[in-house]
Amino acid sequence: MNETILKKISELIIEYAKNQDVIEYNQVSKKLGGVITPIRLNEPLGEISLRCIKHGYPPLSAIVVNHDTRLPGEGFFTWVAAKMGYPTLPPSKWDEFFTEQKESVFSCDDWAAFLDKAFTLQNNIGTNSNKINLNDILTAKKYLKGKRTKYYILTVKAFFDTQQHGPFQYHVLVLDQDKLVNKSTIEDLTKKQLLTPAKRIGLQLLFNYASTIKNDDITMMHYKPDRPGEELWEKEKKNSLEPLFFEERSLFFKHIVDNDIDSESAQEESYYKDGKTIEYFGTRYERNPVNRAKAIEIHGVTCKACGFNFENVYGERGKDFIEVHHVKPLHTIGEETEINPETDLVPVCSNCHRMIHRRKNNVLTIQELKGLLKVHINDLV
């Protein structure tokens, strides 16, 4: 929605209000040079009235009427009335409501102040994504409220509630120490209810960037530009963020495990030669993948024996890859044995995992392998 056109429409209606007169939809369209047809005026008129209401003024759209009925369109008696505190205004009350609001518009003598408040505050913030200046939003840092955290997820609403036609958009930004590290945009042609999907996308983007984060390391903030004169940033409450955080984190780790299982299963044939089955020391898919996901969540993806991290060496291809070692050898674990991911499972790199299990009758502990590493690394030095 073009701010210049919105202001021009407002100024046009105000001129009629000063003359104690109504203006027809087709007159507004003609005076705008036909850039907006009469039938498409509902959206800008709704936005203008919303700004009137929020600044304590009567709704200007009250004096924009149909040629035949001499009344505003139906949206004035439903949507505008609801914004004014009349959510179920019956048709029998429409004439009375119209007369009351029309007289309020005619009697107001402070429209210059309204124009200054409503459009100065709205500079460069429109209802479409190309009107939202994300750089300005990040530079201003007004999302920093209360206790600061390392990571921020920002959802930026890129339309007003009065916008009647899509696409409707939310921008999603992920910040690390106030630096933008990931971003995405969610869009729907018909639905405006995109905040919850935007929250989920924000968490997914963050997990892709830093998989082992904790809930307390995150603040989620929502930018709502259709609040002129009010606080534009709203903080996501902890009691609503936590369940979403843990749900998305579980899905994220499950996805990692599923991918690794598929990758490892594809190599299965390499462990069979000349008809003889060669026992593999610790196929991860032998046990509940949920346990493996939980172990990664608890311990991270860096080898507990040597400190190797696949992403640090292999980049994106190695991101979030690690093998999981069963502290108790698999052949000693009964089918009904409960696995504690915190104490029974340890993330290790492929090399260390091989060395731990190289001799079936002498499976090393993590500490024993660390001892070997320390001795031989010192010898090399």
Side-chain angles (χ1 to χ4, degrees), residues 271-319:
Y271 299 112
Y272 298 84
K273 294 182 180 180
D274 298 328
K276 179 181 179 183
T277 300
I278 300 174
E279 183 180 357
Y280 180 44
F281 59 81
T283 43
R284 297 189 298 275
Y285 52 88
E286 287 187 55
R287 294 293 179 258
N288 189 347
V290 174
N291 288 333
R292 180 175 187 267
K294 188 66 177 175
I296 293 174
E297 178 183 327
I298 294 169
H299 301 295
V301 291
T302 297
C303 178
K304 290 295 183 181
C306 71
F308 184 86
N309 182 285
F310 283 89
E311 183 181 9
N312 291 343
V313 176
Y314 296 104
E316 181 62 28
R317 189 174 183 86
K319 185 177 177 62

Side-chain angles (χ1 to χ4, degrees), residues 306-365:
C306 71
F308 184 86
N309 182 285
F310 283 89
E311 183 181 9
N312 291 343
V313 176
Y314 296 104
E316 181 62 28
R317 189 174 183 86
K319 185 177 177 62
D320 295 320
F321 179 83
I322 197 70
E323 295 189 8
V324 173
H325 165 62
H326 291 75
V327 174
K328 298 176 182 178
L330 288 176
H331 66 272
T332 68
I333 299 177
E335 289 296 326
E336 303 300 324
T337 301
E338 290 289 332
I339 297 294
N340 184 336
E342 185 170 5
T343 57
D344 297 335
L345 302 176
V346 182
V348 290
C349 70
S350 306
N351 282 349
C352 287
H353 209 179
R354 281 286 185 179
M355 292 301 100
I356 287 172
H357 287 275
R358 188 179 182 200
R359 295 171 183 168
K360 182 177 180 180
N361 296 325
N362 183 22
V363 177
L364 300 179
T365 66

Side-chain angles (χ1 to χ4, degrees), residues 161-214:
D161 283 334
T162 52
Q163 183 177 334
Q164 296 178 9
H165 304 283
F168 304 103
Q169 289 185 336
Y170 268 82
H171 299 297
V172 185
L173 312 175
V174 175
L175 311 182
D176 179 356
Q177 303 283 20
D178 300 329
K179 178 183 177 182
L180 181 65
V181 294
N182 222 334
K183 66 179 180 178
S184 184
T185 298
I186 182 172
E187 177 179 295
D188 196 284
L189 293 175
T190 59
K191 295 179 182 178
K192 297 181 180 180
Q193 292 73 33
L194 299 175
L195 181 56
T196 297
K199 295 177 190 178
R200 291 186 179 278
I201 287 175
L203 288 167
Q204 292 163 13
L205 291 174
L206 183 55
F207 290 134
N208 280 323
Y209 173 73
S211 59
T212 57
I213 55 172
K214 304 298 182 184

